[in-house]
Structure formats: structure tokens, C-alpha cells
Amino acid sequence: MKYSVFSRERLIAEARKDKKWDLVIIGGGATGLGIALDAVTRGYSTLLLEQEDFAKGTSSRSTKLVHGGIRYLAQGNIDLVREALHERGLLAINAPHLVKKQKFIIPNYLWWEGLYYNFGLKTYDFLAGKLSMGKSERISLEEVNQRLPALVREELRGGVIYLDGQFDDARLAVNIAQTIVENDGIALNHLKVTGISSENADVINRVQARDSETGETYSFKANLVVNATGVFVDDIRKMANPGAKASIKASQGVHLVFDQKFFPGKDALMIPKTDDGRVLFAVPWNGKVLVGTTDTLLENPVLEPKALEEEIEFIMKTFNRYIQKKVTRKDVKSVFAGLRPLAVGEGEDKSTKEISRGHKIDFSEKGLLTITGGKWTTYRKMAEDVIDLAITENRLPARKCITENFLIHGAKSHKSREDHLHVYGGDKSLILELIDKHPNLGERIHPDLPHLEAEVVWAVRFEMARSLEDVLARRVRILFLDARIAQEIAPKVAALMAKELEKDENWINEQVENFRKLVEEHYQVSSEKHTKKDKIQP
């Protein structure tokens, strides 16, 4: 294997040095990665630990939207929407290879809907200010039919069109991890925190972790420990204080992926209110259409949540209400479920649809800093708030945040979206150089998909991918696009990885078998119904 600044051996060796870090951050999703990026760019020595892979959980399972949240505007949460729209604009500048403008259409079936939604979206445009992605407007029945040819036309009166952002969530996470490492931070995946402690019983300043690859255990010292573990924040809080009360509720969101023949075109569909008050999106994504989402209370959060058959049926039923060519269960290419960590104040008892997506930060349990809530769009501002609070509480020396105008790895030399390699931004030319040196790596992984063997090699060498799932789920996204194809190519991809990682055939077989179980149990290759044992309350 060829080593680089991103090699696990180098990162582990650096992390093991007998030093006291300014920060040790637990959690490698959007929140933890954002905090680590803010910290390293201010000059703090920073170590981030993720138990699985970067964005393994919620942060790779979003609707792929960078948005202000029209739903929150309807709830009157103006400050949250304004902040999110500002951050949406900054992210489009700082990661232009991953964020693009996407047009959405709200169809109008009642006479008053055009006026109502147009007014709301004009407010949305106004709140975006100078970072607006474009103006919303009412469009005619003819234009709606032209833009959304699959839409049911009965009683359709026209529509409203607006612009928001679309992005690749897992790839942004990987690029942020790369940016952290490039700025002298350490970001390690597959390193599970097993305990936190304090030397003097006053302030948490030690973190114990176990390497899932070798089984080796480590202990790290820190001036500040940050708990950014999403739906698992209470597990970490209870390591410091077994009596700590719950601070979040977990809400499950499910998405279905279909061939784009069911919803052709470049524009997305937005249904602002379904039968139970949810929002439904149908968004073009990598040659497919992504449809979701649900909002189901999860009693006991798990690392790999399952979609309930009721949730799948709800999405299909609602989607079919608006499209001419109806989808069936066998048309589903992939199903994925993610858990939203919703911050709940003491004594609150709200449905998940009503709980704010805003974030909350506090010091508790012997100085452990915990952040709950939030969403991908505002990850940068959440991180800024965390570090600013740590400074205010005299846990870090005062230094100014600079991430508002800080490019993410891959942003430089970004030019066009002419092919699927555009998501690599400035790295695209390096991947092409790799293919020039090894022409066989220019072959497609599967004839029905554009992804190349070189992308697998690149993911291992330079994107810290360590498992078959890391590559197929979060580096090239094939698991989320077509679970059956992902399972079909698993042996081939595992063999490519094994050569890079210097693994044997036993490793390949183990990876393929683990991946097969993952696909069948969680990505709905079979339509076997789930039961109450999933511990989800509908």
C-alpha cells in the first residue's frame, strides 16, 4: 500500500504521542467534523475519534439538501431559517464541487395555494439576502407540466418554483475529515470510545478508545472533551455521570430510491404537507430519484436503524398520489434510514415534527461539553458556537473563527459537472493521473454505473476508507443508489481494497459476508416485514 498524509498508520502514530490535546472530539458525523475543522483552523491541537466511519449514521442518510427549511418558516422559526439560509450560501462557496443549485416545484391543486406558497417563498428569498440561490416565482399549468412530465394533472392549477441547495452528504464529511488532517489535526475512524475519566475528579480530561481493526486500546489526554455523537450523546454523558437525564429524542427518517423513469426531468418535487403533516421531497440524485422522508419516534437509537414497512408504504402511497406511473415495492432500488438527534428541553413532551432542529450546547458532567440537535446545513455555525463557548468558559485560549471563508478539500480547481467525477473537485485530475499510470483502473466497477475501479483505490489511499461498507456506502454511494448492484460487485471491490490494504482472502470473504448481511437486513433487498422487535414506535 502507498502511504500518504491520510494513512492510518501515520494518524495512529501521531495520536499515540504522549501529549495533551487542546480538544478530543467524540463523533465523526457532521457536528463532530465541523467542530474539529473549526478547532484546527484556529490553531488548537485537535483529535477526533469516530467509532465506525465518518458520517456512518445520520450524516450520510439525509435528503441531500442544503436548505433553510421551509417547514420551519411555516412554524414561525425565522431565526433558524435565516441562519440556515446564510450557512447554505457559505457552504455553496466553500464546497462548490459538492453543492449545487436545485429547482423545486410545489404543485398547486387548490385556487389559493399559488398565492399562499408564493408569499411564503418570497419571505424565504428575502431571508437569504445576498447569498440567495435565486428568486422564487409562480409558474403556469403549462410550465409545471413541461418541467414535471410525470406529475398527475387532474385538478392541477399551476405551481410555485424556488431554488435550494443539493449536496453529497457523506462525501462532504470525508472532505471535511481530509481538510482537518491537512491542517495538522487528527481524524480517526473505526476507533470507538469506551470510557471517559478525569485525573483529579473535577474535569473530564481523559478518553479511552479501542481500535476496531487491531483490538488495541489507547488513552488520550485533553484540556477539553467534546461530545458530538448525535443520537448517542446521552451514552457518552452517562460515562461521566450514570444518573444523567436524557437530553434528546431520536426521530427516524426513511428514504426510498427509484429509477428516474418514474420521475424524469431535472426539477424536484416538494409536497409541503402530507396526510400527517410531514414534508415529502422527490429529488433527482445521481440518475435516480430520492423520495422521503418520514418522522418516526425511535425509542432506543441504534447504529444501523431499520425502515419499518409502514414507513416504506407511506412514502410509496404519497409519492404515487402525485405521479402517473405508479411505483411498487419491487421498484425500490434502495431504502435507507437515518436518525435525527432532536434537542429537547427539560420537561418538554412534543412530537418529533414539532421539536426544533436548532442546536443546544452545554457543559455538564464534570466539564464535558455536549452539543445536541442541529442539522447538516448549519454544521459550520454549530461548530463556531461550540468553540466560542469553550473560549468564554476559559477552556480554550481566545482565537477568532475563520471558517466562514475557508475552502473544503476538493474545492480548489473545481470547474464543471461534466461527469460523475466532479464530486472529487480538485482531486479529479489526480484520479485521472492514477488511471494514466494504471489503465486497468479506468474500468467500470459495474456496466450499469459510471464508477471506476480507480475510485476504490483512491478511497483507500487518500480518503481513509477501511471497509467494504465505507467504500460502497459513503465513498461512491452505490449502496444508496442500488443495493442489489452493490451486493453484486462486493467481491470485486473487496479484492481491490485487499490489494491496497495488504489483506488476505479471509479478509475479503469476511467483508463480503458482512456486507451481504447489511444489505439484506437494512437496505431492503428482500421485502421481509419488520416487527415490534425493531423498538420503533409508529
Side-chain angles (χ1 to χ4, degrees):
M1 175 181 174
K2 295 184 178 180
Y3 298 99
S4 72
V5 67
F6 304 112
S7 76
R8 183 175 179 82
E9 290 79 4
R10 186 195 74 81
L11 294 172
I12 288 283
E14 183 65 29
R16 293 183 64 183
K17 289 181 179 178
D18 187 19
K19 62 183 289 186
K20 193 167 190 177
W21 299 87
D22 289 327
L23 297 92
V24 170
I25 299 162
I26 309 171
T31 305
L33 289 165
I35 295 167
L37 179 61
D38 188 292
V40 296
T41 53
R42 297 199 204 200
Y44 303 120
S45 60
T46 304
L47 171 64
L48 178 142
L49 306 174
E50 161 57 39
Q51 65 172 327
E52 290 288 337
D53 186 29
F54 306 118
K56 155 72 177 178
T58 306
S59 297
S60 64
R61 301 158 189 256
S62 73
T63 316
K64 322 306 175 198
L65 302 181
V66 187
H67 61 145
I70 293 176
R71 172 167 137 197
Y72 312 133
L73 184 63
Q75 295 172 353
N77 200 335
I78 301 297
D79 290 341
L80 177 61
V81 174
R82 180 187 289 110
E83 178 181 271
L85 288 171
H86 179 75
E87 293 300 318
R88 178 193 70 176
L90 294 179
L91 187 53
I93 294 170
N94 292 329
H97 59 306
L98 297 177
V99 180
K100 74 178 186 72
K101 295 179 181 179
Q102 174 64 56
K103 291 182 178 179
F104 291 80
I105 294 175
I106 302 176
N108 303 154
Y109 290 94
L110 300 174
W111 69 268
W112 53 267
E113 288 182 327
L115 292 172
Y116 176 78
Y117 293 124
N118 189 51
F119 174 77
L121 288 167
K122 290 300 181 186
T123 305
Y124 196 67
D125 296 342
F126 174 77
L127 293 174
K130 294 180 180 179
L131 293 175
S132 171
M133 287 189 162
K135 294 182 179 180
S136 60
E137 60 178 334
R138 294 180 67 180
I139 57 176
S140 67
L141 172 61
E142 291 73 21
E143 187 170 354
V144 174
N145 289 334
Q146 181 182 9
R147 287 181 170 274
L148 300 181
L151 202 64
V152 168
R153 300 184 181 187
E154 186 179 356
E155 298 183 9
L156 183 64
R157 294 172 178 266
V160 179
I161 190 169
Y162 72 98
L163 284 87
D164 239 324
Q166 185 182 41
F167 79 134
D168 187 322
D169 48 11
R171 180 143 291 282
L172 177 59
V174 171
N175 284 170
I176 294 174
Q178 290 172 301
T179 310
I180 292 164
V181 173
E182 289 170 332
N183 286 272
D184 300 323
I186 301 295
L188 284 165
N189 51 358
H190 300 284
L191 209 69
K192 180 179 174 61
V193 169
T194 56
I196 55 176
S197 58
S198 55
E199 293 175 335
N200 53 18
D202 292 328
V203 177
I204 294 294
N205 53 22
R206 280 188 178 274
V207 176
Q208 293 78 44
R210 180 180 180 275
D211 189 332
S212 64
E213 293 191 5
T214 66
E216 193 168 353
T217 58
Y218 308 107
S219 180
F220 306 107
K221 294 180 286 186
N223 290 320
L224 175 65
V225 177
V226 179
N227 176 14
T229 53
V231 294
F232 302 110
V233 291
D234 289 334
D235 293 345
I236 301 299
R237 291 174 62 241
K238 288 178 181 179
M239 287 183 182
N241 176 13
K245 295 182 179 180
S247 62
I248 67 160
K249 284 188 176 181
S251 168
Q252 174 161 290
V254 170
H255 295 83
L256 311 184
V257 178
F258 300 97
D259 278 333
Q260 204 165 1
K261 67 182 181 182
F262 293 102
F263 197 76
K266 296 181 179 180
D267 299 323
L269 173 70
M270 191 273 205
I271 304 301
K273 193 170 184 179
T274 59
D275 289 344
D276 64 351
R278 301 167 183 167
V279 173
L280 184 95
F281 291 100
V283 188
W285 183 54
N286 289 337
K288 307 290 184 183
V289 58
L290 178 65
V291 186
T293 180
T294 58
D295 212 336
T296 306
L297 177 65
L298 190 72
E299 183 179 335
N300 295 309
V302 291
L303 190 60
E304 190 68 62
K306 292 182 180 180
L308 285 173
E309 202 67 25
E310 303 94 274
E311 294 177 296
I312 296 170
E313 291 295 333
F314 172 83
I315 293 174
M316 290 196 303
K317 178 182 177 181
T318 306
F319 188 38
N320 278 335
R321 187 176 299 171
Y322 292 92
I323 57 174
Q324 297 174 30
K325 183 177 176 62
K326 309 304 181 185
V327 297
T328 64
R329 188 66 179 78
K330 65 181 175 59
D331 296 315
V332 177
K333 293 296 183 181
S334 186
V335 178
F336 58 91
L339 305 181
R340 309 178 189 93
L342 308 179
V344 181
E346 188 174 350
E348 289 188 45
D349 185 18
K350 300 179 179 180
S351 72
T352 61
K353 292 187 289 294
E354 295 172 336
I355 298 173
S356 172
R357 262 55 172 180
H359 58 279
K360 296 182 181 179
I361 311 167
D362 64 61
F363 277 103
S364 59
E365 286 77 43
K366 299 180 181 179
L368 176 69
L369 192 158
T370 297
I371 176 167
T372 54
K375 59 179 186 173
W376 245 124
T377 305
T378 56
Y379 88 96
R380 190 210 64 82
K381 185 62 170 65
M382 292 159 58
E384 180 181 357
D385 290 348
V386 165
I387 301 300
D388 283 350
L389 178 61
I391 292 171
T392 300
E393 297 292 326
N394 296 316
R395 299 296 300 279
L396 293 171
R399 294 171 188 168
K400 186 178 179 180
C401 175
I402 64 169
T403 54
E404 277 203 8
N405 301 291
F406 197 89
L407 296 179
I408 303 300
H409 179 98
K412 294 179 181 178
S413 303
H414 174 67
K415 295 180 180 179
S416 69
R417 300 179 184 276
E418 60 187 18
D419 59 43
H420 82 284
L421 293 176
H422 76 266
V423 295
Y424 293 94
D427 286 342
K428 175 181 174 179
S429 61
L430 301 177
I431 294 175
L432 295 177
E433 286 180 14
L434 181 63
I435 294 172
D436 285 340
K437 294 179 181 177
H438 307 280
N440 59 301
L441 295 180
E443 296 180 6
R444 291 189 177 191
I445 302 172
H446 189 278
D448 293 341
L449 296 174
H451 305 88
L452 309 175
E453 292 185 13
E455 295 176 72
V456 178
V457 173
W458 184 267
V460 174
R461 290 185 187 178
F462 302 108
E463 294 182 344
M464 297 173 276
R466 306 296 298 180
S467 72
L468 185 56
E469 182 193 342
D470 291 354
V471 172
L472 290 177
R474 290 172 292 279
R475 301 305 186 278
V476 295
R477 313 314 307 270
I478 295 174
L479 177 57
F480 283 26
L481 293 168
D482 194 314
R484 290 175 179 85
I485 288 181
Q487 188 168 353
E488 180 183 337
I489 63 176
K492 180 179 183 178
V493 174
L496 285 167
M497 294 184 67
K499 184 177 180 180
E500 288 297 309
L501 293 170
E502 299 178 351
K503 301 293 185 179
D504 58 18
E505 193 166 340
N506 289 333
W507 182 89
I508 294 175
N509 293 335
E510 182 180 14
Q511 288 288 310
V512 171
E513 177 61 16
N514 289 342
F515 190 76
R516 181 192 65 78
K517 291 179 180 178
L518 174 73
V519 172
E520 292 182 355
E521 293 178 12
H522 297 280
Y523 289 84
Q524 304 292 312
V525 163
S526 71
S527 60
E528 182 181 355
K529 292 188 177 182
H530 303 298
T531 63
K532 291 181 181 179
K533 68 182 180 180
D534 294 322
K535 301 180 180 179
I536 299 177
Q537 297 179 349

